[in-house]
Amino acid sequence: MLKLNFMRTETDFISKSFSTTIDNGTFTWSAPSNIALVKYWGKKAHQIPANPSISFTLNACKTITKLSYSAKEDNANFSFDLLFEGQPKEDFKPKIQKFLERIETYCPYLKQYHLKIDTQNTFPHSSGIASSASGMAALAMNIMSLEKALHPEMTDDYFFQKASFLARLGSGSACRSIKGEVVVWGNHAEIEGSSDLYGVEFPTTIHANFKNYQDTILLVDKGEKQVSSTVGHDLMHNHPYAERRFQQAHENLSKLKTVLETGDLNAFVEIVESEALTLHAMMMTSMPYFILMKPNTLEIINRIWEFRRSSNISVCFTLDAGANVHVLYPENDSAKVLQFIKNELVGYCQNGQYICDELGAGSQLIIDN
């Protein structure tokens, strides 16, 4: 496991001039999605979180991005083509342009190249699973591979930290998709090396109860959310319960740290479900207020509660800022929980669709050419 020896600042991530020159090349990286256990909701300028968060890195739900680069004479502007599943995707380009502008200070060499970004997801794009975290993480890994080619002396520690730093500037939660299996983002007194600038791997040994932990994602609503996460985060600025919520996140992260170390599944269930409902409570009590859960979301939650009581199996739910339900459970209970999902929960999913996933190891290099 990566051990961090010191805290880096924004200045540490500003690229120096490189003696190495490269005309062209290609990299391909995959990066997974992640699911927060303690939620990040509310942010400051420059994608700085208002509270720390912790997430499980997933395995199957990931983005695969191929970055081809070729030197160009005009270095005044960014130049890139964007393909999604092999086809031009113009409506994605403004977000990529904004991302490149945000990271220009840290990666000025990007203007020396024309970039071709070809990206795809292992999960359906219209599935209602947010792909911004995995997508921005995969792009950041490719960019850092280019930087490492220009600066071969770069350490792995710096490589992964800066990749997380860059990913954060594209999508906050993307900084938790660089490494695995459990990642903390945001300053927290009890997490060694934790930072608002990048995600860090959970610093101590995780109990065997959480080895290969399972996440079955129930696709309740695959449509576009009525309210974007960006708007939701902004509504925390004047939220009447914001400060108490930020304190609660620190408290729950402290509790969850102990839980992950000791393997207390009952306490895990309580904290994770409370965090999920608190996230949606913040949405329902903001001004303007909104509800992203659907009737079927609530039906699934009640069925999970009933099943847990009757079976004594430590299955629980968590939610992102949407209607879909992540069902979390230990690997040794997989057979019984999956049967329960098929018997009782699939009927509440749109077109009966769900995705089986588990804890993963983070981003992976596929092609280095």
Side-chain angles (χ1 to χ4, degrees):
M1 181 174 291
L2 179 65
K3 296 296 183 181
L4 303 178
N5 297 320
F6 61 92
M7 299 284 291
R8 289 190 171 96
T9 66
E10 292 99 327
T11 306
D12 294 317
F13 295 121
I14 297 175
S15 295
K16 311 300 189 292
S17 58
F18 304 124
S19 57
T20 305
T21 58
I22 301 175
D23 290 333
N24 56 74
T26 300
F27 299 105
T28 303
W29 279 87
S30 71
S33 186
N34 67 75
I35 180 64
L37 307 174
V38 172
K39 307 296 184 180
Y40 138 68
W41 197 244
K43 61 185 176 182
K44 306 170 187 175
H46 309 299
Q47 299 285 90
I48 298 297
N51 66 263
S53 57
I54 186 170
S55 60
F56 278 163
T57 307
L58 299 183
N59 182 49
C61 291
K62 57 189 175 185
T63 298
I64 301 169
T65 299
K66 176 181 178 181
L67 177 70
S68 302
Y69 57 94
S70 55
K72 60 186 178 72
E73 294 183 4
D74 179 11
N75 300 336
N77 298 296
F78 293 109
S79 172
F80 68 95
D81 296 319
L82 181 65
L83 303 178
F84 178 69
E85 297 182 345
Q87 300 298 318
K89 193 72 174 175
E90 293 300 313
D91 54 333
F92 281 10
K93 291 187 76 171
K95 186 168 187 177
I96 301 299
Q97 178 69 30
K98 185 176 182 180
F99 171 60
L100 294 175
E101 291 170 356
R102 280 179 173 174
I103 69 173
E104 179 180 359
T105 300
Y106 311 102
C107 307
Y109 55 85
L110 291 177
K111 283 189 172 180
Q112 300 172 21
Y113 296 95
H114 175 74
L115 309 176
K116 182 181 177 182
I117 304 165
D118 192 349
T119 188
Q120 60 183 309
N121 297 326
T122 60
F123 50 91
H125 176 59
S126 59
S127 65
I129 298 175
S131 59
S132 57
S134 56
M136 286 299 178
L139 181 54
M141 296 304 292
N142 278 293
I143 289 171
M144 285 309 298
S145 284
L146 171 55
E147 183 169 324
K148 187 172 177 62
L150 294 167
H151 181 55
E153 299 82 11
M154 182 187 298
T155 65
D156 287 347
D157 175 47
Y158 182 88
F159 178 94
F160 286 105
Q161 264 194 15
K162 184 169 179 179
S164 181
F165 173 85
L166 296 178
R168 187 197 96 244
L169 293 174
S171 173
S173 59
C175 74
R176 298 193 309 248
S177 283
I178 300 299
K179 301 289 282 185
E181 302 171 329
V182 180
V183 178
V184 176
W185 171 37
N187 283 321
H188 188 271
E190 297 176 33
I191 303 295
E192 181 184 357
S194 60
S195 171
D196 288 341
L197 301 180
Y198 44 79
V200 300
E201 289 181 273
F202 189 71
T204 56
T205 301
I206 296 167
H207 193 277
N209 283 352
F210 298 103
K211 183 177 175 59
N212 298 327
Y213 220 70
Q214 304 293 295
D215 178 8
T216 298
I217 307 161
L218 307 181
L219 305 181
V220 173
D221 182 18
K222 301 194 295 178
E224 188 173 339
K225 292 184 296 189
Q226 308 104 305
V227 180
S228 71
S229 294
T230 299
V231 171
H233 283 295
D234 288 344
L235 291 174
M236 289 296 284
H237 289 308
N238 299 307
H239 199 292
Y241 309 128
E243 289 306 315
R244 181 64 192 100
R245 162 57 200 157
F246 301 149
Q247 293 172 12
Q248 181 194 43
H250 280 272
E251 294 161 5
N252 281 344
L253 183 48
S254 293
K255 294 175 184 176
L256 196 59
K257 178 179 182 291
T258 300
V259 165
L260 291 173
E261 292 167 345
T262 62
D264 186 340
L265 291 173
N266 290 332
F268 178 84
V269 166
E270 290 180 356
I271 296 166
V272 169
E273 290 191 343
S274 174
E275 275 286 317
L277 295 176
T278 298
L279 171 66
H280 284 260
M282 292 298 102
M283 301 175 198
M284 289 188 280
T285 51
S286 62
M287 186 61 72
Y289 40 81
F290 54 100
I291 300 175
L292 295 185
M293 287 189 285
K294 301 293 184 181
N296 283 0
T297 307
L298 298 176
E299 288 291 342
I300 289 169
I301 289 172
N302 278 303
R303 292 288 181 122
I304 290 172
W305 285 343
E306 290 171 10
F307 176 74
R308 191 167 68 226
R309 280 195 294 268
S310 63
S311 68
N312 204 30
I313 291 174
S314 298
V315 58
C316 68
F317 70 87
T318 189
L319 309 166
D320 268 334
N324 297 333
V325 181
H326 290 249
V327 186
L328 302 175
Y329 50 97
E331 183 183 34
N332 58 10
D333 291 320
S334 291
K336 292 179 181 178
V337 175
L338 284 172
Q339 193 61 53
F340 157 65
I341 289 171
K342 292 173 184 177
N343 291 346
E344 297 193 37
L345 303 185
V346 169
Y348 297 109
C349 299
Q350 190 170 340
N351 300 323
Q353 288 188 297
Y354 63 96
I355 298 173
C356 291
D357 212 332
E358 62 187 356
L359 261 70
S363 302
Q364 294 181 322
L365 178 64
I366 299 172
I367 295 175
D368 182 352
N369 183 18

